């Protein structure tokens, strides 16, 4: 029931939690980070083609965008991308002139593995003829903390699930944590933190403020399909490192303006109640299939070990 209650809360408490992105933190020393992308990242034009950030204040004029069931005040001229619905609704605002300027929200991200052992169990299950596990590409986030989730975010965005959901999602390559501040969590069993950090995108260094909740969803049982977690209410505001301090308030104001119509929330809750029953049935089928496969596998081993009898 944890995931059911969690996804209901995603839309209901969103308006209140985005305010944390406007929190003021104490000045801290920032880690050095390379301006070059990591070796496993394909360059999309090189650092030389990335607009050079200004060290002077940059003015952002906000305009209201009406998405039907939601509204948000976005910076003028910025592109908006949306994906999903209800609990997994996501949006990304991005400046086409400088893609490091971004505002994004993901209702839920995952599932991710909480241990290497579980991922191996799932691989073994599939290799023995089990149902495909769609999230097998997902990384292991161990320990399960908001900052570690952000450090593994680039691996999440590389998966086929993420690419089919929103290919424009920021990968947050080479993520380095500057500071973390614990927040109260609206998700049962969840951990929420406000994280300030640096990352590389398109060969340039960006700074951002992120609010992330992580929570385990299924425990480890020694069977496939367990020991997984989700990121909930994953949101962030980013800009080139040199100008982030000038844009932070405007970006936070844009995020805070996001509102969802009450009728849409109610409709989502009704849909989720119906979907949850189907999810439980799917989980039962997976468990039963695993038992059948294991029984068949053990039976085949017995037959192989038996001596051949002449007839």
């Amino acid at each position: 029931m944890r995931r059911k209650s969690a996804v209901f809360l995603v839309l209901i408490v969103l308006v209140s939690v985005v305010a944390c992105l406007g929190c003021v933190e104490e000045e801290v020393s920032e880690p050095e980070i390379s301006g070059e992308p990591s070796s496993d990242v394909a360059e999309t034009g090189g650092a030389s083609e990335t607009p050079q950030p200004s060290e002077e204040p940059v003015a952002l004029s906000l305009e209201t965008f009406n998405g039907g069931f939601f509204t948000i005040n976005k910076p003028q001229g910025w592109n908006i991308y949306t994906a999903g619905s209800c609990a997994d609704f996501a949006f990304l605002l991005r400046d086409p002139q400088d893609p490091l300027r971004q505002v994004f929200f993901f209702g839920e991200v995952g599932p991710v593995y909480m241990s290497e052992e579980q991922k191996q169990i799932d691989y073994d299950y599939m290799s023995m003829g089990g149902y495909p596990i769609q999230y097998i590409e997902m990384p292991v986030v161990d320990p399960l903390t908001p900052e570690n989730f952000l450090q593994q975010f680039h691996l999440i965005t590389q998966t086929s699930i993420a690419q089919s959901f929103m290919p424009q999602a920021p990968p947050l390559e080479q993520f380095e944590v500057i500071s973390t501040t614990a927040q109260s969590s609206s998700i049962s069993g969840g951990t929420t933190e406000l994280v300030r950090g640096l990352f590389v995108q398109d060969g340039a260094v960006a700074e951002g403020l992120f609010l992330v909740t992580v929570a385990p969803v299924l425990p480890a049982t020694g069977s496939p399909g367990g020991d997984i977690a989700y990121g909930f209410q994953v949101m962030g505001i980013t800009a080139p490192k040199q100008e982030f301090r000038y844009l932070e308030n405007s970006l936070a104001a844009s995020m805070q303006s996001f509102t969802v119509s009450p009728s849409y929330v109610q409709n989502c809750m009704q849909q989720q109640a119906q979907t949850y029953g189907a999810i439980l049935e799917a989980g039962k089928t997976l468990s039963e299939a695993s038992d059948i496969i294991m029984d068949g596998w053990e039976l085949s081993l017995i037959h192989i070990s038996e001596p051949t009898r002449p007839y």
Side-chain angles (χ1 to χ4, degrees):
M1 292 294 291
R2 177 178 296 167
R3 185 170 185 272
K4 180 183 178 183
S5 58
V7 294
F8 285 177
L9 284 168
V10 168
L11 291 173
I12 295 175
V13 304
L14 173 61
V15 175
S16 60
V17 297
V18 294
C20 290
L21 287 176
C23 297
V24 178
E25 297 180 315
E26 295 181 0
E27 192 72 22
V28 294
S29 59
E30 298 176 352
E32 294 297 325
I33 187 169
S34 170
E36 297 297 323
S38 58
S39 58
D40 59 343
V41 180
E43 295 190 30
T44 59
S48 61
E49 297 183 11
T50 302
Q52 294 300 313
S54 170
E55 295 191 8
E56 297 298 323
V58 180
L60 291 179
S61 298
L62 303 182
E63 60 184 6
T64 301
F65 176 86
N66 190 334
F69 62 88
F70 75 95
T71 61
I72 187 170
N73 295 334
K74 75 177 186 67
Q76 290 183 355
W78 284 29
N79 296 329
I80 182 167
Y81 307 91
T82 62
S85 62
C86 296
D88 66 355
F89 174 71
F91 71 80
L92 166 66
L93 307 180
R94 177 175 285 161
D95 185 355
Q97 302 302 317
D98 190 341
L100 273 67
R101 299 174 184 166
Q102 305 167 110
V103 176
F104 63 84
F105 168 80
F106 294 89
E108 61 181 39
V109 179
V112 296
Y113 286 100
M114 290 192 289
S115 69
E116 290 286 355
E117 291 79 6
Q118 182 63 51
K119 192 163 186 175
Q120 188 60 53
I121 289 173
D122 287 358
Y123 268 123
D124 293 342
Y125 164 76
M126 292 173 59
S127 67
M128 290 187 292
Y131 292 123
I133 296 178
Q134 301 299 324
Y135 54 86
I136 194 68
E137 300 174 88
M138 285 291 185
V140 175
V141 180
D142 183 19
L144 182 64
T145 62
E147 59 264 37
N148 195 26
F149 186 87
L150 289 170
Q151 289 170 333
Q152 307 304 320
F153 201 77
H154 68 288
L155 297 177
I156 296 174
T157 62
Q158 292 171 9
T159 65
S160 57
I161 291 177
Q163 285 297 305
S164 62
F165 182 74
M166 183 184 283
Q168 302 89 354
L172 307 182
E173 283 281 353
Q174 301 181 41
F175 191 90
E176 291 191 15
V177 176
I178 297 175
S179 64
T180 62
T181 305
Q183 306 289 325
S184 60
S185 180
S186 60
I187 305 297
S188 177
T191 302
T192 303
E193 289 182 346
L194 185 67
V195 182
R196 184 179 292 270
L198 302 176
F199 62 95
V200 171
Q201 182 173 311
D202 297 333
V205 181
E207 183 175 346
L209 196 60
F210 310 87
L211 185 65
V212 179
T213 296
V214 293
V217 173
L218 291 177
T221 62
S223 300
D227 209 17
I228 57 174
Y230 273 79
F232 294 102
Q233 302 168 3
V234 178
M235 61 191 80
I237 55 176
T238 79
K241 181 176 180 294
Q242 292 90 333
E243 66 178 36
F244 180 75
R245 59 177 174 169
Y246 302 121
L247 293 180
E248 182 176 352
N249 288 340
S250 296
L251 296 174
S254 176
M255 176 68 81
Q256 291 172 9
S257 71
F258 176 69
T259 58
V260 181
S261 69
S263 60
Y264 183 77
V265 174
Q266 183 63 35
N267 183 55
C268 287
M269 294 180 67
Q270 293 174 354
Q271 289 184 23
Q272 196 65 41
Q274 297 172 356
T275 303
Y276 191 70
I279 292 174
L280 289 178
E281 187 62 30
K284 179 182 178 182
T285 301
L286 181 62
S287 177
E288 292 174 347
S290 174
D291 292 339
I292 293 172
I293 289 173
M294 291 305 298
D295 290 344
W297 183 261
E298 292 170 357
L299 184 60
S300 67
L301 292 178
I302 293 174
H303 289 168
I304 291 173
S305 62
E306 288 180 347
T308 303
R309 295 188 181 91
Y311 290 96

